[in-house]
Amino acid sequence: ASKKFEADMDKFTLPKSQPQVKTGTPTQKSGIKQEQPPESLLEFYPLAEYCNNLLVGLNELRLCAPLACAAHAATLLQDSLTTAARVILAFYRQEQQALSKPEKEGFSRFCLCFGEQLVPYMQRCLHAVYKPSEIAAHLGLSTFQLQQQGLTYLDQSVIVDAIGHLLPDRLQPQLIIPPSTPASPAAEEAQPQESTEEISISET
């Protein structure tokens, strides 16, 4: 997934205008937010495809997900996201001199989408595979102790460290504590031609 993301970033061109945000009733928005990845990913196809590729791996893992592998799976996911952040930084360093003002604004949205939307969403997806209550019971811990020790919890400060100086102050890196009952994740894949495809983690 990380290598594909890097290849996509090599071909990526930042949008010069902000797309209109889809609207809907509060109930519809709530359902989409719980069951699907953030719609903001669709503005940046490298992030949308990267999300989909990560979910393919989680789909396969969920078919047979030993609890003993939970910490290792979380480490691999965090390493992949950290690598993606470094790819974003490399893209910025290469393109910053040529970016127009609208493109700089687009890049800011790109970074926010990664740090505020994609990373927390992947945490919820990980916990859909490895439920904190099950991991805590397996280790003989409370869920609070599990959170304190960071077991199966992504450390956002580590992930976004490479692009931290490019993020606005309102994004506060932290250990991600998702809702206690995450919904089954799904993903929409956005191609450069703006086509989409949904991927969901099947129940076992």
Side-chain angles (χ1 to χ4, degrees), residues 96-108:
Q96 61 177 322
Q97 298 299 329
L99 294 179
S100 64
K101 183 178 179 180
E103 288 173 330
K104 288 180 180 179
E105 293 173 352
F107 181 75
S108 294

Side-chain angles (χ1 to χ4, degrees), residues 1-69:
S2 299
K3 291 182 179 180
K4 179 63 167 59
F5 179 69
E6 185 173 4
D8 286 341
M9 289 300 293
D10 286 339
K11 301 177 291 184
F12 179 58
T13 300
L14 285 164
K16 296 184 179 180
S17 62
Q18 185 171 4
Q20 293 183 348
V21 179
K22 296 180 181 179
T23 59
T25 65
T27 301
Q28 290 173 330
K29 285 186 177 181
S30 176
I32 290 175
K33 184 176 181 181
Q34 291 177 359
E35 298 177 3
Q36 297 180 359
E39 287 187 359
S40 57
L41 291 178
L42 297 178
E43 181 183 0
F44 309 106
Y45 74 85
L47 290 181
E49 291 194 1
Y50 177 58
C51 177
N52 251 16
N53 289 332
L54 290 177
L55 288 180
V56 168
L58 289 176
N59 276 327
E60 295 176 354
L61 178 62
R62 191 167 188 174
L63 296 176
C64 181
L67 296 181
C69 296

Side-chain angles (χ1 to χ4, degrees), residues 78 154-162 172-176:
Q78 177 157 314
L154 303 177
D155 190 335
Q156 189 180 22
S157 63
V158 172
I159 293 172
V160 304
D161 180 67
Q172 299 295 328
Q174 58 186 335
L175 191 70
I176 300 173

